[in-house]
Amino acid sequence: AQSVAQPEDQVNVAEGNPLTVKCTYSVSGNPYLFWYVQYPNRGLQFLLKYITGDNLVKGSYGFEAEFNKSQTSFHLKKPSALVSDSALYFCAVRDRTGTASKLSFGTGTRLQVTL
Amino acid sequence: ETGVTQTPRHLVMGMTNKKSLKCEQHLGHNAMYWYKQSAKKPLELMFVYSLEERVENNSVPSRFSPECPNSSHLFLHLHTLQPEDSALYLCASSQDRGLWEQFFGPGTRLTVL
């Protein structure tokens, strides 16, 4: 079975500081990994994905994530946080044998960026 | 309209009511999904349709009944719900095969009294 763990319910960061939202995964074989963001009263928006190749993936709004196979992690990062980045962030994983429907999400991490 | 739309955005219903949630995607995708989002829990995949055929039903109670009349529309029919069914119901779509991410609608906030 595949799963994702987001160990932090909430991350607090001051604007301008770097941010990290943690994600670890469990899957048979090599994973496909995704990050989504959810703003209040909105659905999930795709941020970025890791399929293969370079371990550092760049996505929307200046976010990036680093795939670390030995640590089974895919942490989301941004060099300089903005107040507008405050939202709920979800990590998701699927294995390489299934279809697009076989996507497992974490419980989400709320990012709070303050002035 | 573009993307994935859902109606209504908010719904309050009694336990004996029958209502339906509607989802429409304008992305040319061939797979559609219903998820349930509850606080502090992972997104729960409820149903998956690929090419208008149901391919997954994750042990969802029969009081939830999906319908996919074509590749652009997805419905979730609700009847005799319980208060614990109150949640945000999200619709998503994607290409079924390959490495395509899912695109989500804004959700329907359902409250069962």
Side-chain angles (χ1 to χ4, degrees):
Chain A
Q2 60 190 35
S3 65
V4 163
Q6 292 182 245
E8 303 153 316
D9 286 342
Q10 181 155 328
V11 170
N12 299 306
V13 177
E15 188 174 57
N17 284 0
L19 69 87
T20 299
V21 182
K22 295 179 180 178
C23 171
T24 58
Y25 65 89
S26 173
V27 71
S28 300
N30 293 316
Y32 296 140
L33 293 156
F34 302 80
W35 275 103
Y36 285 83
V37 60
Q38 186 178 32
Y39 297 100
N41 301 313
R42 303 284 292 276
L44 277 67
Q45 294 179 37
F46 169 74
L47 273 180
L48 52 81
K49 64 184 176 185
Y50 170 80
I51 303 300
T52 188
D54 194 347
N55 288 345
L56 185 64
V57 179
K58 294 188 183 297
S60 307
Y61 312 120
F63 283 93
E64 57 189 28
E66 186 168 12
F67 171 62
N68 187 317
K69 187 174 183 178
S70 63
Q71 297 185 4
T72 62
S73 67
F74 190 56
H75 300 330
L76 182 69
K77 301 181 180 184
K78 187 173 182 181
S80 179
L82 298 172
V83 171
S84 57
D85 292 330
S86 299
L88 190 57
Y89 290 81
F90 290 92
C91 183
V93 66
R94 57 170 274 218
D95 66 33
R96 290 175 181 257
T97 59
T99 63
S101 62
K102 299 292 186 182
L103 196 60
S104 297
F105 286 85
T107 52
T109 298
R110 186 163 300 281
L111 174 65
Q112 187 68 46
V113 182
T114 54
L115 291 170
Chain B
E1 286 198 65
T2 59
V4 182
T5 58
Q6 290 186 244
T7 54
R9 294 293 307 275
H10 300 272
L11 178 61
V12 179
M13 59 187 289
M15 293 169 63
T16 58
N17 291 159
K18 289 185 180 181
K19 296 286 184 182
S20 295
L21 310 184
K22 179 182 176 183
C23 175
E24 184 173 0
Q25 61 97 359
H26 310 268
L27 300 168
H29 291 159
N30 56 17
M32 296 186 77
Y33 314 78
W34 279 117
Y35 287 89
K36 177 182 178 182
Q37 184 179 19
S38 304
K40 301 288 180 71
K41 295 175 68 174
L43 261 67
E44 299 174 47
L45 179 63
M46 300 174 71
F47 301 104
V48 182
Y49 278 82
S50 175
L51 300 172
E52 301 152 41
E53 285 191 30
R54 190 189 308 181
V55 296
E56 280 209 35
N57 175 351
N58 287 346
S59 303
V60 179
S62 60
R63 56 186 184 270
F64 295 91
S65 174
E67 177 189 2
C68 186
N70 55 61
S71 60
S72 299
H73 294 85
L74 185 66
F75 294 89
L76 188 62
H77 304 300
L78 317 171
H79 65 97
T80 59
L81 295 192
Q82 304 298 310
E84 60 265 28
D85 297 323
S86 299
L88 182 67
Y89 288 84
L90 293 167
C91 174
S93 70
S94 75
Q95 290 300 109
D96 184 42
R97 303 290 169 178
L99 309 176
W100 304 102
E101 58 272 18
Q102 296 179 16
F103 288 79
F104 285 78
T108 295
R109 174 68 62 186
L110 174 66
T111 303
V112 182
L113 301 176

